[in-house]
Amino acid sequence: MTTDTNMKSPEAAAVPPSGPAPVKKRVPRGRKRLLTRRDRITLGFMAGVPTVLHVALVWVTALASIALAFTSWDGIGFDSIKWVGLDNFKQLFSDNPQFWPAVEHNVIWFVVLILIPTPFGLFLAVQLDKQIRFSRVYQTAFFLPVVVSLAVTGFVWQLVYNPDTGLINSLIGANKPGHYIDWIGDPHLNLWAVLIAASWRHTGYMMILYLAGLKGVDPSLREASSLDGANEWQTFKNVIFPTLRPTNTVVLVVTIIEALRAFDLVFVFNKGAQGTELLSILITNNIIGESSRIGYGSAIAVVLLVISLVVIIPYLISTFRKERSA
Amino acid sequence: MRDLSSSLPSPSRRGLLKGMGGAALLGAGIPLLSACGSSDSGSDSKTVTLGSNQSDAVPKKAYGEIYTAFTKQSKLTVKVNTKDHNTFQEQINSYLQGTPDDVFNWFAGYRMQFFAAKGLASPIDDVWEKIGDNFPDAMKKLSKGADGKYYFVPLVTYPWAIFYRKSVFAQHGYEVPTTWDAFIALCKQMKKDGLVPIAFGDKDAWPAMGTFDQLNFRTNGYDFHVDLMAGKASWTDAKVKTVFDHWAEILPYHQDGFMGRTWQDAAQTLVAKKAGMYVLGTFVAQQFTNKADLDDLDFFAFPEINSAYGQDTVEAPADGFMVSKSPKNKAGVTKLMEYLGTPEAEQIYLKSDTSVVAASNKADTSSYTPLQKKAYEMITGAKSLTQFMDRDSRPDFTSTVMQPSLQKFLQNPKGIDSLLSSIERQKKTIFASG
């Protein structure tokens, strides 16, 4: 769970720091100072409370889970915390039969999202940007899956995939002994079945991001390229797409985050059983429950944190560099 | 932000003040939040609080009737705090460490002993002095912690067995198999007759544990099963391998696509007479909503595999009550627990829920349905009672190791050797963590 908040922290960090407002600057003569002593206390309070909350809820929990990754703890009383060094990681890398499949599935999740729904979302955005008729209806239809909670999405798709009574098997008659398609249970099928549901949602998300990006493209660029005799594809390839570069960066980061935090859909679908293991689900299974393995679960969370940082840090560096040069 | 002080228009002062009000509220909210845990009315000597995991309609009503009867008799009110069944289980750890209710619903076996050993429950030997005569020895054994003190009052229990439809057996002339060979022969015949021999759904990952338990104590006996669950016996032992060999033998007769099916859906194939048999607890009866279908439902004990053990062990999980570590109304709690340990309390419950039987051997069985009577005889006739894999062993081991491992076996029965050594390696680290 802590990883989820961790992943948000870089975003939060990207927002300019909200420290106390600089009050040194003198206001023009003849007027009183704008901020009274009381105002400054208020401002300090307003900045202080969120800071304390942020530190307590994000940084302390993140650091605590890193520390716990080197311990063995069942979550009952602080005196039962035992220091075990790297044992959790050793076990994780060598003995846990679910760990490597989980890593692999998170990677597959990312690759599929970036290769299928992302280009498709871009395609839809380009079409909608042409102001075709009923554009708003299509826009709403494609965006609807994004609005619905992923847990609900999971339930709906479960009804579609249910091997006995689901829509697909009922239609194609694959729910009889002998020719049976177990969409949810078969380890060769279930990840792809879930990914279709995930892509269904991701397409709408990407479409909206690209649509926003396309609205920002200067219309004169299009005009210029059509004057130069470029056809639609050439215009898109050489003029429009290059201007979408900032959007592409956002899309890439969003997709990576989506792939790393993939959880709800699979948890509802089959709780990450054979074939759909994910890091986030391994963490949950180890930490939440009657007698939890908090140390071990934290070790998996740390692995997820490290992967997230490897991905997010280069993005942050490039963002800050741009801001500085701007 | 940079030009805040120079560009601030004057009306925003009011905004600042508003913000301050908000912050003050927030500041006041924090102590409020932390206080609400302790502002319970539990200090009231006329009330006993009870944390309940019985969120389903039938048991919720049945339990409620027990508390009403108790209130009438003792003038003590039971304040019930019901939580969703699964949520209750997931949160039990933090619930018991926080400010738990005086009494809470829980399960017998290792699951109970675990919290007793952690000091999160109160011993109730004084209660058992009064109610001890109401229970058979097997139940007494189930209610004790590892330290030999009592921590649990059982209320109801239900056996696991093989369920079938009487009409289906009559129609095809099947006989109840009592030996492994007869069982296999029956499976073969059912397949020939176009039935699914064994209904199965393992989407929730726990039903497979029930099959494992049956196969293990039939093959290796109660003592080995208990040792294996307690982490003492080795999973790489040839005896465990034999269990999986037997399982692999009947696996082809299981319903297709079980990994994506819930136990409820699997039960529906038995209801629809498409399946011949189903290994489950008596709660399968809940899926038989039609009275005629329910009357047609019957069961038999899992067949004998090793004649040394016959059919002497019955898996019968018991549900009941425990007392939290420092109940606010100790006297009231003792009274309530004593009441819950009486046959009367059990009978009140069983009037509303006929899918289980009383844990006490004093309860009146005259109003039992034929199914309940049979279940009761099965339990009282058993030499040993087991709970269930996740109640007889460490829950962290069963949920993080056994559930995925059994699912892996079901997908690929041939890779059993490497699977068992993987289970054994993981078991060692989990049981070593204390």
Side-chain angles (χ1 to χ4, degrees):
Chain A
M1 294 293 99
T2 41
T3 43
D4 199 39
T5 40
N6 281 331
M7 312 224 314
K8 277 178 195 135
S9 63
E11 287 168 33
V15 175
S18 57
V23 287
K24 288 178 285 180
K25 206 174 165 188
R26 286 264 158 201
V27 285
R29 251 174 322 125
R31 281 174 62 185
K32 274 200 287 177
R33 274 175 63 169
L34 186 64
L35 291 173
T36 63
R37 188 185 161 76
R38 209 167 105 181
D39 285 350
R40 269 180 287 159
I41 291 171
T42 312
L43 267 180
F45 203 53
M46 284 168 68
V49 170
T51 308
V52 168
L53 285 177
H54 178 77
V55 168
L57 298 177
V58 177
W59 286 99
V60 172
T61 46
L63 293 175
S65 81
I66 292 174
L68 283 173
F70 301 96
T71 66
S72 153
W73 187 32
D74 57 17
I76 300 177
F78 290 110
D79 50 341
S80 64
I81 301 181
K82 260 187 293 176
W83 189 258
V84 295
L86 288 170
D87 276 7
N88 287 332
F89 292 97
K90 272 184 214 152
Q91 269 178 58
L92 195 58
F93 296 140
S94 61
D95 283 345
N96 191 321
Q98 293 173 290
F99 177 70
W100 291 112
V103 173
E104 191 191 323
H105 296 151
N106 272 102
V107 172
I108 293 177
W109 199 280
F110 168 70
V111 171
V112 168
L113 284 192
I114 204 78
L115 288 184
I116 297 162
T118 306
F120 190 54
L122 173 61
F123 172 78
L124 291 176
V126 171
Q127 301 309 312
L128 289 174
D129 194 42
K130 287 182 193 154
Q131 298 298 330
I132 49 175
R133 233 200 301 182
F134 307 124
S135 164
R136 291 208 177 257
V137 177
Y138 295 132
Q139 203 171 313
T140 313
F142 290 122
F143 191 64
L144 209 58
V146 188
V147 183
V148 177
S149 143
L150 263 184
V152 177
T153 310
F155 282 120
V156 172
W157 280 87
Q158 228 186 353
L159 299 177
V160 175
Y161 283 126
N162 185 309
D164 293 317
T165 53
L167 178 74
I168 301 178
N169 277 8
S170 301
L171 283 181
I172 63 174
N175 52 3
K176 293 183 203 77
H179 36 96
Y180 203 93
I181 304 178
D182 189 359
W183 298 102
I184 299 175
D186 188 335
H188 302 295
L189 278 180
N190 52 15
L191 183 66
W192 306 107
V194 180
L195 277 170
I196 289 175
S199 300
W200 173 71
R201 176 183 184 269
H202 201 67
T203 302
Y205 195 177
M206 294 298 104
M207 179 196 76
I208 287 292
L209 287 181
Y210 276 120
L211 207 52
L214 287 169
K215 297 280 184 225
V217 176
D218 192 340
S220 62
L221 282 176
R222 278 176 217 269
E223 232 167 84
S225 75
S226 65
L227 282 179
D228 285 347
N231 65 22
E232 205 169 335
W233 169 244
Q234 284 170 325
T235 310
F236 176 75
K237 200 180 95 183
N238 299 321
V239 180
I240 312 286
F241 193 68
T243 59
L244 285 176
R245 216 178 142 232
T247 313
N248 280 330
T249 316
V250 172
V251 162
L252 183 69
V253 171
V254 164
T255 308
I256 291 169
I257 291 174
E258 285 282 304
L260 288 175
R261 73 172 184 195
F263 172 79
D264 1 26
L265 200 55
V266 171
F267 196 75
V268 172
F269 197 67
N270 68 357
K271 295 218 163 53
Q274 301 300 310
T276 55
E277 295 96 337
L278 290 172
L279 287 173
S280 54
I281 289 187
L282 292 191
I283 297 169
T284 315
N285 285 350
N286 279 289
I287 289 186
I288 294 183
E290 296 168 37
S291 69
S292 4
R293 304 172 70 191
I294 293 180
Y296 194 62
S298 299
I300 309 174
V302 166
V303 172
L304 187 57
L305 176 66
V306 169
I307 297 175
S308 317
L309 289 179
V310 166
V311 176
I312 299 298
I313 284 176
Y315 166 72
L316 284 182
I317 289 174
S318 76
T319 313
F320 284 140
R321 198 173 287 156
K322 246 181 267 159
E323 245 173 43
R324 214 171 295 144
S325 61
Chain B
M1 280 306 252
R2 254 168 287 147
D3 305 313
L4 183 70
S5 51
S6 56
S7 66
L8 259 181
S10 54
S12 72
R13 250 243 203 123
R14 199 166 291 159
L16 279 180
L17 289 176
K18 258 192 206 159
M20 188 167 81
L25 257 180
L26 190 66
I30 292 166
L32 261 181
L33 269 177
S34 60
C36 73
S38 53
S39 67
D40 240 339
S41 60
S43 51
D44 179 0
S45 67
K46 286 276 164 219
T47 315
V48 178
T49 57
L50 188 141
S52 169
N53 63 351
Q54 299 297 336
S55 50
D56 292 342
V58 172
K60 190 178 175 182
K61 184 169 166 283
Y63 276 104
E65 276 159 13
I66 301 179
Y67 310 140
T68 315
F70 171 70
T71 303
K72 247 181 226 159
Q73 187 211 51
S74 66
K75 309 284 173 243
L76 287 170
T77 317
V78 181
K79 199 177 129 204
V80 186
N81 162 22
T82 307
K83 253 188 247 172
D84 168 70
H85 199 84
N86 291 326
T87 315
F88 188 89
Q89 252 147 273
E90 273 163 14
Q91 297 175 346
I92 184 78
N93 211 321
S94 48
Y95 168 71
L96 291 181
Q97 290 183 75
T99 45
D101 300 295
D102 297 346
V103 177
F104 60 98
N105 280 101
W106 200 236
F107 315 105
Y110 190 99
R111 266 182 161 170
M112 173 270 291
Q113 294 177 347
F114 177 82
F115 293 113
K118 290 283 174 188
L120 292 175
S122 304
I124 47 168
D125 288 359
D126 51 340
V127 172
W128 272 87
E129 270 170 32
K130 291 254 179 72
I131 64 172
D133 291 341
N134 297 339
F135 293 94
D137 285 342
M139 279 295 162
K140 284 184 188 160
K141 211 163 85 187
L142 280 179
S143 307
K144 279 181 193 165
D147 58 0
K149 288 181 186 158
Y150 285 102
Y151 285 94
F152 182 78
V153 170
L155 189 84
V156 292
T157 177
Y158 55 90
W160 275 62
I162 300 183
F163 289 82
Y164 69 98
R165 302 285 300 256
K166 280 182 272 191
S167 61
V168 172
F169 269 49
Q171 183 198 339
H172 295 279
Y174 299 146
E175 268 176 41
V176 167
T178 51
T179 64
W180 184 251
D181 291 339
F183 182 55
I184 299 282
L186 180 60
C187 287
K188 278 188 186 147
Q189 188 58 43
M190 282 183 173
K191 204 164 189 176
K192 240 182 245 167
D193 296 338
L195 287 168
V196 173
I198 305 170
F200 191 37
D202 198 39
K203 185 163 184 266
D204 301 316
W206 55 260
M209 292 178 175
T211 309
F212 176 86
D213 291 347
Q214 300 287 336
L215 287 164
N216 191 32
F217 54 65
R218 287 283 182 268
T219 312
N220 301 315
Y222 173 79
D223 293 330
F224 181 80
H225 182 71
V226 169
D227 284 351
L228 189 66
M229 292 297 112
K232 288 177 196 150
S234 165
W235 284 83
T236 48
D237 194 317
K239 287 177 164 179
V240 183
K241 178 91 182 345
T242 321
V243 172
F244 283 97
D245 288 344
H246 281 112
W247 203 345
E249 203 180 338
I250 52 169
L251 210 49
Y253 305 111
H254 280 66
Q255 193 172 5
D256 271 354
F258 44 76
M259 290 283 286
R261 186 183 298 112
T262 59
W263 73 264
Q264 289 95 334
D265 284 344
Q268 285 307 317
T269 40
L270 191 67
V271 175
K273 297 188 182 182
K274 282 183 188 153
M277 299 178 277
Y278 191 14
V279 182
L280 209 73
T282 48
F283 54 85
V284 70
Q286 292 166 8
Q287 294 295 310
F288 287 70
T289 42
N290 184 335
K291 175 90 173 51
D293 286 337
L294 186 59
D295 290 343
D296 192 33
L297 182 69
D298 202 354
F299 64 87
F300 55 86
F302 200 85
E304 170 186 313
I305 296 176
N306 182 339
S307 59
Y309 309 112
Q311 296 177 313
D312 65 357
T313 305
V314 171
E315 180 136 280
D319 295 354
F321 298 88
M322 289 177 80
V323 178
S324 59
K325 62 175 184 292
S326 46
K328 294 193 186 72
N329 182 358
K330 184 78 179 81
V333 164
T334 309
K335 266 190 192 162
L336 176 62
M337 293 302 268
E338 280 169 9
Y339 182 75
L340 291 169
T342 59
E344 293 84 62
E346 297 186 338
Q347 273 154 233
I348 294 172
Y349 182 87
L350 292 164
K351 245 181 244 164
S352 307
D353 184 358
T354 54
S355 67
V356 291
V357 297
S360 157
N361 50 359
K362 291 275 170 65
D364 177 21
T365 57
S366 59
S367 61
Y368 274 6
T369 64
L371 216 59
Q372 278 177 304
K373 273 198 183 110
K374 200 165 174 182
Y376 182 76
E377 276 158 26
M378 197 167 162
I379 291 172
T380 45
K383 200 176 140 208
S384 322
L385 296 178
T386 57
Q387 292 297 289
F388 192 70
M389 187 187 283
D390 64 7
R391 301 181 181 203
D392 284 330
S393 186
R394 290 181 62 118
D396 48 0
F397 169 66
T398 55
S399 64
T400 64
V401 179
M402 286 319 293
Q403 289 191 352
S405 296
L406 292 182
Q407 286 195 328
K408 200 165 195 170
F409 161 76
L410 294 170
Q411 296 286 353
N412 175 23
K414 290 200 180 76
I416 188 62
D417 288 317
S418 66
L419 185 69
L420 288 179
S421 44
S422 163
I423 293 176
E424 179 63 18
R425 274 201 308 274
Q426 295 180 73
K427 181 209 87 179
K428 276 190 184 139
T429 50
I430 289 181
F431 278 86
S433 71

